[in-house]
Amino acid sequence: MKKDDKPWSEQEENSLSELIKTLTVKDIAKMLGRSERSVNIKMHRLRLPIKKGGKLKELVSRNIVHEMLTQRIGSPESFRPTREFLDRIGMGQKRFWQL
């Protein structure tokens, strides 16, 4: 088991939510004893705003795709669109994930 394979505790997740308001990902990774990649992935999964250029990225007030997936399949994190699905909705993979 590698260093980054250890599960995140609830306390670490809460710390991450608070620390992102003031520190960079690199500093947070050092404080939590995790890699920068691990911190970035966790921030993405928790839907936390990502710090870019010294400013916090604003959260979208309403994500319609997220709401639709939650209603249809429960957990949007487990949704993996197939090529057939993307062809039917007439959208490329890159554009779909930008939404």
Side-chain angles (χ1 to χ4, degrees):
M1 185 179 245
K2 294 185 287 184
K3 179 175 116 175
D4 291 342
D5 288 345
K6 66 180 180 180
W8 283 74
S9 69
E10 190 173 331
Q11 182 181 5
E12 286 178 313
E13 289 178 5
N14 293 337
S15 296
L16 178 60
S17 299
E18 290 302 315
L19 293 173
I20 191 57
K21 296 174 185 173
T22 57
L23 299 175
T24 63
V25 172
K26 188 175 185 176
D27 294 335
I28 294 171
K30 285 181 183 177
M31 288 183 72
L32 297 177
R34 303 255 180 192
S35 70
E36 289 180 48
R37 181 176 168 80
S38 175
V39 171
N40 278 322
I41 290 171
K42 194 61 172 178
M43 288 170 51
H44 178 73
R45 289 185 178 156
L46 294 174
R47 300 192 180 282
L48 295 174
I50 297 173
K51 195 169 191 173
K52 293 196 177 188
K55 297 180 182 176
L56 287 178
K57 187 176 177 184
E58 292 183 25
L59 290 174
V60 176
S61 60
R62 182 172 180 215
N63 187 333
I64 297 171
V65 173
H66 185 270
E67 290 176 18
M68 177 189 70
L69 291 173
T70 302
Q71 290 174 359
R72 291 296 243 160
I73 61 171
S75 175
E77 290 80 18
S78 62
F79 177 68
R80 300 286 183 259
T82 62
R83 175 59 47 204
E84 179 186 343
F85 170 80
L86 294 170
D87 289 341
R88 280 189 304 175
I89 64 170
M91 188 179 292
Q93 182 178 6
K94 184 175 180 179
R95 176 66 180 137
F96 179 81
W97 289 111
Q98 287 175 340
L99 294 174

